[in-house]
């Protein structure tokens, strides 16, 4: 989706290191989401934010942290407490202005352990 | 809680074959239902959606009908192409505005489709 930019596309983490994944959007969407995708599995929700300066834990928040200081940005930090971080991470956004709007996804960041 | 169950894959078809990928759900109230497609190395793209019972979503030759009586949203295409090879995800969105789960998507595990020439 051209309106959502995830960077970097590939990221490598050393043991004990924190890394931050970027998600920027120019769709003027209020809500933003972070998902983790493992091979052969569906997406699992890590964190989400419905408005600036507010965010909620999803189903698998342990070992991750987020911030939402600007409407356009929702960075995800994978901390050293996340023992199995190797996965494909997807950011999504959604307009809150109308009901039943779909989520729009970025192209993802693939995180691997060195 | 909400859940989505998809037909297990992988599904392998020849070009021009008929496709069905089954999807059933469990949810309270009237969720919105979605099909997303993921091509290799990419994010998810919305394929189609339906927001109320008996709605039919359609796009690029794919169709799915929201069946509340059977809690299903099966994806169909009459004649698949090699370019349809991808992973397909069924998902539902919680319907209750203002609740903590509002707007969250619950995904099925995905179905890998491979179409051979």
């Amino acid at each position: 989706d051209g309106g959502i930019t995830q960077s970097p596309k590939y990221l490598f983490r050393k043991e004990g290191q924190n890394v931050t994944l970027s998600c920027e959007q120019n769709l003027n969407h209020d809500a933003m989401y972070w998902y983790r995708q493992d091979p052969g599995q569906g997406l699992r929700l890590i964190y989400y934010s419905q408005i600036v300066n507010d965010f909620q834990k999803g189903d698998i928040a342990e070992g991750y942290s987020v911030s939402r200081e600007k409407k356009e940005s929702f960075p995800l930090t994978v901390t050293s407490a996340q023992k199995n971080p190797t996965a494909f991470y997807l950011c999504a956004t959604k307009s809150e202005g109308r009901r039943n709007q779909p989520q729009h996804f970025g192209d993802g960041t693939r995180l691997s352990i060195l | 809680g909400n859940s989505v169950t998809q037909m297990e894959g992988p599904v392998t078809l020849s070009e021009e074959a008929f496709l069905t990928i089954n999807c059933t759900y469990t949810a309270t109230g009237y969720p919105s239902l979605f099909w997303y497609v993921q091509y290799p190395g990419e994010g998810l793209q919305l394929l189609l959606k339906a927001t109320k019972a008996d709605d039919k979503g359609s796009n690029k030759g794919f169709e799915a009908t929201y069946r509340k009586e059977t809690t299903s949203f099966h994806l169909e295409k009459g004649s698949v192409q090699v370019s349809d090879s991808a992973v397909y995800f069924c998902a539902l969105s919680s319907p209750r505005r203002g609740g903590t789960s509002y707007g969250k998507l619950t995904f099925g595990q995905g179905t890998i489709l491979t179409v051979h020439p």
Side-chain angles (χ1 to χ4, degrees):
Chain A
D1 196 320
I4 303 170
T5 303
Q6 288 190 243
S7 61
K9 192 171 179 64
Y10 299 96
L11 187 58
F12 299 92
R13 194 191 90 168
K14 296 179 181 178
E15 293 288 341
Q17 184 182 45
N18 293 353
V19 292
T20 297
L21 285 60
S22 171
C23 178
E24 302 280 331
Q25 57 112 349
N26 62 7
L27 301 171
N28 200 35
H29 286 173
D30 294 294
M32 298 186 73
Y33 306 81
W34 273 106
Y35 293 92
R36 171 181 171 135
Q37 184 180 21
D38 293 284
Q41 298 188 33
L43 278 66
R44 293 182 290 169
L45 182 65
I46 305 172
Y47 269 98
Y48 65 104
S49 168
Q50 292 178 305
I51 56 172
V52 175
N53 292 323
D54 186 54
F55 49 82
Q56 307 293 331
K57 291 182 178 180
D59 301 317
I60 55 165
E62 186 174 350
Y64 300 96
S65 66
V66 293
S67 62
R68 187 82 187 279
E69 297 176 1
K70 299 185 302 181
K71 187 174 186 178
E72 301 79 14
S73 179
F74 190 43
L76 173 74
T77 296
V78 184
T79 75
S80 57
Q82 173 48 246
K83 298 306 180 187
N84 184 23
T86 298
F88 190 49
Y89 291 86
L90 287 160
C91 176
T93 72
K94 188 172 86 71
S95 171
E96 297 289 276
R98 293 168 56 190
R99 292 189 62 192
N100 303 318
Q101 292 300 298
Q103 291 185 16
H104 300 265
F105 286 81
D107 284 339
T109 292
R110 189 165 298 281
L111 176 62
S112 303
I113 293 293
L114 281 177
Chain B
N2 298 336
S3 67
V4 176
T5 302
Q6 275 183 244
M7 167 179 162
E8 288 201 21
V11 174
T12 303
L13 296 172
S14 297
E15 207 165 25
E16 299 183 3
F18 184 85
L19 169 71
T20 299
I21 300 178
N22 290 340
C23 171
T24 57
Y25 68 89
T26 302
T28 54
Y30 294 83
S32 295
L33 300 174
F34 305 89
W35 276 101
Y36 283 87
V37 58
Q38 184 179 35
Y39 298 101
E42 298 183 8
L44 275 65
Q45 300 176 24
L46 178 68
L47 183 59
L48 53 84
K49 71 173 186 178
T51 58
K52 60 182 187 296
D54 300 324
D55 264 3
K56 178 185 283 189
S58 62
N59 185 26
K60 300 180 182 178
F62 291 90
E63 292 183 341
T65 301
Y66 189 143
R67 301 285 188 200
K68 184 155 179 67
E69 64 275 14
T70 55
T71 61
S72 65
F73 193 53
H74 305 320
L75 182 69
E76 297 182 335
K77 186 174 185 182
S79 176
V80 293
Q81 306 300 312
V82 172
S83 57
D84 293 327
S85 298
V87 183
Y88 292 82
F89 291 94
C90 184
L92 69 82
S93 177
S94 301
R96 295 174 54 194
R97 191 176 186 92
T100 57
S101 61
Y102 177 69
K104 288 170 58 178
L105 283 177
T106 301
F107 286 89
Q109 76 273 27
T111 301
I112 299 172
L113 171 65
T114 302
V115 180
H116 292 298

